[in-house]
């Protein structure tokens, strides 16, 4: 209570310095939208009265009905509203210009479809303003078109730069020039193979830089990631489901004026270097600024239980690979360990979760000597962490990862606390497979 009165007093003092003397009622009122946003809301309400309804993209990062982006390059963000007709397959994108004290209707772009599947904004043509990249879904089937729309400020209308079928897309700087390109992934009508198409946009026109086949049997690209390899070139990696029981990675590169799938075998029609039983996206897991591709290795402990070691490989434009490092990932706990040199072929990993939810992970060499012991405490049991022999490294989703009895002298085989802090890292649990571990 004292803290609350102190905070209110500090707020009053600040407002007094600013020449504002609020009443008690002012302090407890909900925030009021700015007048220009209220006017925009009134415009939307008028459209809803005409039989339209607000809608939102079904996927992607932006999943709201209203978006703001600088579509004209004047430093002011335009309002972008997504609507669909409640009784037909008509949809619309409404654009409102920021006129200072209010938003004014600028233009409307009509579409045919059942839903917006994705939306994003990027200066793809490099002219200083943002373009709208929108995905449209047709019917209940997995039929999608990607459309790139550019606002012409003189004509006050949206112009289409590209319309193409897609299953996924990625906006990234493929050629290293500084301007973004658009990578479109699309399936064939038979759904037995897929193609990657790279587009550049210059002077208001779309230019196809090249096409590359993805591995045959790819039924649906799941995701695309990109990053630089050590030659300085940029690679995009399409991660796809392979038939019914596996996943495959297709590294794509625009190199020396050619766009191609690195390591793709034209006779087998597959990139068999990166066929895995689980979805495991490429990543810069060691934090060196370069992307590596992972390969799972099923390793057997001395007692017959197993775990997955992840070997990470660098890649060059010819498709040649170079081993970089290895990791152990614990998806259930949400962390991973970069294995020190010497641990790759000399390691056993055991896990156990007690009745209270505390998960113990023990790393040992082949003789059984402990190298590192970690525990993950649920937030509700964090008060049970012993302070005399365990050190908290970081929290994962509110849970506490600790190191038990780290090395305190050079004579010990255990990992030191400093090394543990450097090599243990949190991970996005959605990106890595569950290890097929047996209880200790």
């Amino acid at each position: 209570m004292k803290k609350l009165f102190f905070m209110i007093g500090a707020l009053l003092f600040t407002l007094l310095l600013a020449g504002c003397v609020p009443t008690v009622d002012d302090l407890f009122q909900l925030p009021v939208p700015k007048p220009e946003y209220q006017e925009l809301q009134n415009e939307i309400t008028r459209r809803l009265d005409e039989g339209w309804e607000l809608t939102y993209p079904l996927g992607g990062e932006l999943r709201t009905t209203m978006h703001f982006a600088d579509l004209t390059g004047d430093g002011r963000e335009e309002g972008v509203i997504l609507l669909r007709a409640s009784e037909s397959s008509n949809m619309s994108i409404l654009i409102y210009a920021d006129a200072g004290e209010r938003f004014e209707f600028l233009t409307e772009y009509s579409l045919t479809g059942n839903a917006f599947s994705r939306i994003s904004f990027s200066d793809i043509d490099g002219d200083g303003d943002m373009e709208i990249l929108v995905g449209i879904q047709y019917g209940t089937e997995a039929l999608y078109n990607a459309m790139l729309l550019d606002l012409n400020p003189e004509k006050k209308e949206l112009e289409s730069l590209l319309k193409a079928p897609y299953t996924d897309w990625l906006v990234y700087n493929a050629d290293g020039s500084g301007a973004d390109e658009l990578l479109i992934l699309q399936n064939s009508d038979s759904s037995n193979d897929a193609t990657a198409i790279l587009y550049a946009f210059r002077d208001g026109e779309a230019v196809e830089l090249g096409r590359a086949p993805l591995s045959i049997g790819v039924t649906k690209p799941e995701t695309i990631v990109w990053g630089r390899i050590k030659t300085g070139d940029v690679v995009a990696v399409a991660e796809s489901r392979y038939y019914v029981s596996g996943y495959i990675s297709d590294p794509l590169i625009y190199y020396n004026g050619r766009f191609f799938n690195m390591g793709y075998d034209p006779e087998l029609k597959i990139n068999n270097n990166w066929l895995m039983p689980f979805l495991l996206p490429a990543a810069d897991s060691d934090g060196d600024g370069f992307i590596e591709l992972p390969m799972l290795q099923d390793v057997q402990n001395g007692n017959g239980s197993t775990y997955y070691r992840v070997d990470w490989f660098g890649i060059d434009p010819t498709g040649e690979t170079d081993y970089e490092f290895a990791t152990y990932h614990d998806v259930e706990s949400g962390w991973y360990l970069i294995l020190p040199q010497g641990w790759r072929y000399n390691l056993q990993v055991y896990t156990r979760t007690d009745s209270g939810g505390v998960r113990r992970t023990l790393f040992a060499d082949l003789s059984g000597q402990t190298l590192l012991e970690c525990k993950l405490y649920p937030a509700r049991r964090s008060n049970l962490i012993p302070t005399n022999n365990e050190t908290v490294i970081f929290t994962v989703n509110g849970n506490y990862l600790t190191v038990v009895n780290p090395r305190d002298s050079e004579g010990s085989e255990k990992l030191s606390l400093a090394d543990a802090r450097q090599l243990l890292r949190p991970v996005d649990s959605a990106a890595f497979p569950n290890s097929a571990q047996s209880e200790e």
Side-chain angles (χ1 to χ4, degrees):
M1 184 62 71
K2 290 182 179 179
K3 184 177 181 181
L4 175 62
F5 283 121
F6 175 79
M7 293 174 62
I8 293 176
L11 176 60
L12 287 170
F13 181 72
T14 303
L15 292 172
L16 286 170
L17 289 178
C20 302
V21 184
T23 65
V24 173
D25 291 337
D26 291 333
L27 291 174
F28 291 95
Q29 283 182 349
L30 294 174
V32 178
K34 293 182 179 179
E36 58 266 34
Y37 293 106
Q38 186 61 52
E39 181 64 24
L40 181 57
Q41 183 61 52
N42 294 339
E43 288 286 331
I44 295 172
T45 301
R46 284 192 282 271
R47 292 302 301 263
L48 299 184
D49 292 339
E50 297 173 0
W52 292 83
E53 61 185 18
L54 289 169
T55 187
Y56 53 87
L58 301 179
E61 296 181 359
L62 304 177
R63 299 196 185 189
T64 59
T65 59
M66 184 183 303
H67 307 269
F68 294 92
D70 185 2
L71 305 178
T72 60
D74 62 357
R76 293 183 176 182
E77 292 186 331
E78 280 67 42
V80 181
I81 314 300
L82 305 181
L83 294 178
R84 69 178 177 186
S86 56
E87 298 182 358
S88 68
S89 295
N90 295 325
M91 301 192 301
S92 281
I93 300 175
L94 306 181
I95 308 297
Y96 290 85
D98 183 354
E101 296 182 355
R102 63 190 300 269
F103 278 92
E104 297 179 346
F105 174 77
L106 186 61
T107 188
E108 178 176 358
Y109 193 86
S110 299
L111 298 160
T112 300
N114 293 88
F116 292 97
S117 54
R118 286 177 63 179
I119 191 170
S120 62
F121 303 90
S122 178
D123 181 15
I124 296 181
D125 61 4
D127 63 357
D129 59 42
M130 307 288 278
E131 283 73 52
I132 304 174
L133 185 57
V134 62
I136 309 298
Q137 178 179 331
Y138 301 93
T140 57
E141 301 295 328
L143 301 175
Y144 304 93
N145 267 339
M147 301 184 66
L148 185 64
L149 305 174
D150 188 25
L151 179 62
N152 187 321
E154 296 181 359
K155 296 181 180 180
K156 295 184 178 181
E157 62 184 31
L158 286 172
E159 299 176 343
S160 177
L161 300 183
L162 177 72
K163 182 178 180 180
Y166 89 98
T167 54
D168 203 351
W169 75 54
L170 177 70
V171 177
Y172 73 118
N173 183 203
D175 60 3
S177 65
D180 283 335
E181 283 76 38
L182 173 63
L183 176 62
I184 294 283
L185 302 186
Q186 56 184 221
N187 284 353
S188 68
D189 293 337
S190 66
S191 296
N192 192 41
D193 59 281
T195 303
I197 310 172
L198 185 65
Y199 294 95
F201 298 88
R202 306 293 182 264
D203 300 323
E205 295 185 359
V207 178
E208 186 176 309
L209 297 180
R211 296 183 175 223
L214 301 186
S215 295
I216 191 170
V218 167
T219 57
K220 182 182 183 300
E222 298 287 335
T223 187
I224 323 171
V225 298
W226 71 275
R228 290 189 180 274
I229 55 178
K230 291 190 175 179
T231 59
D233 300 291
V234 178
V235 172
V237 185
E239 315 281 0
S240 311
R241 181 175 291 278
Y242 185 69
Y243 290 107
V244 296
S245 60
Y247 291 88
I248 197 164
S249 300
D250 286 296
L252 305 164
I253 189 170
Y254 184 72
Y255 181 71
N256 285 344
R258 189 168 68 94
F259 180 62
F260 57 95
N261 186 339
M262 303 162 65
Y264 178 82
D265 188 325
E267 294 185 2
L268 298 177
K269 296 184 178 180
I270 188 175
N271 199 317
N272 53 13
N273 290 329
W274 310 110
L275 181 60
M276 295 176 290
F278 301 101
L279 177 61
L280 188 60
D284 175 20
S285 287
D286 64 347
D288 65 352
F290 302 106
I291 194 171
E292 292 89 19
L293 276 77
M295 182 62 68
L296 290 176
Q297 306 295 334
D298 195 357
V299 182
Q300 190 173 59
N301 289 320
N303 66 350
S305 63
T306 61
Y307 70 94
Y308 283 115
R309 185 188 74 233
V310 184
D311 292 341
W312 295 83
F313 294 85
I315 191 169
D316 69 18
T318 68
E320 293 294 321
T321 61
D322 182 33
Y323 170 78
E324 299 283 349
F325 58 95
T327 59
Y328 168 84
H329 282 81
D330 190 329
V331 174
E332 184 175 340
S333 298
W335 56 270
Y336 70 97
L337 171 70
I338 300 175
L339 301 184
Q341 289 187 359
W343 284 30
R344 186 184 182 194
Y345 298 115
N346 185 38
L347 185 66
Q348 301 183 87
V349 183
Y350 303 96
T351 61
R352 182 177 61 199
T353 303
D354 67 22
S355 59
V358 178
R359 184 176 176 85
R360 174 180 178 240
T361 303
L362 180 69
F363 299 86
D365 62 20
L366 297 182
S367 68
Q369 178 69 40
T370 297
L371 301 174
L372 175 68
E373 182 179 354
C374 299
K375 287 186 180 179
L376 190 83
Y377 287 81
R380 68 181 187 277
R381 300 194 65 190
S382 61
N383 61 314
L384 300 179
I385 301 174
T387 57
N388 59 332
N389 66 339
E390 294 189 36
T391 303
V392 175
I393 302 299
F394 50 72
T395 59
V396 186
N397 299 323
N399 303 322
Y400 293 78
L401 180 71
T402 71
V403 170
V404 182
N405 287 324
R407 186 182 75 199
D408 57 5
S409 67
E410 290 299 325
S412 173
E413 297 294 331
K414 285 179 176 288
L415 211 64
S416 70
L417 181 59
D419 288 339
R421 284 175 170 159
Q422 180 184 6
L423 300 176
L424 285 166
R425 303 184 183 186
V427 69
D428 177 6
S429 61
F432 295 91
N434 285 306
S435 295
Q437 303 157 342
S438 300
E439 296 297 306
E440 181 186 1

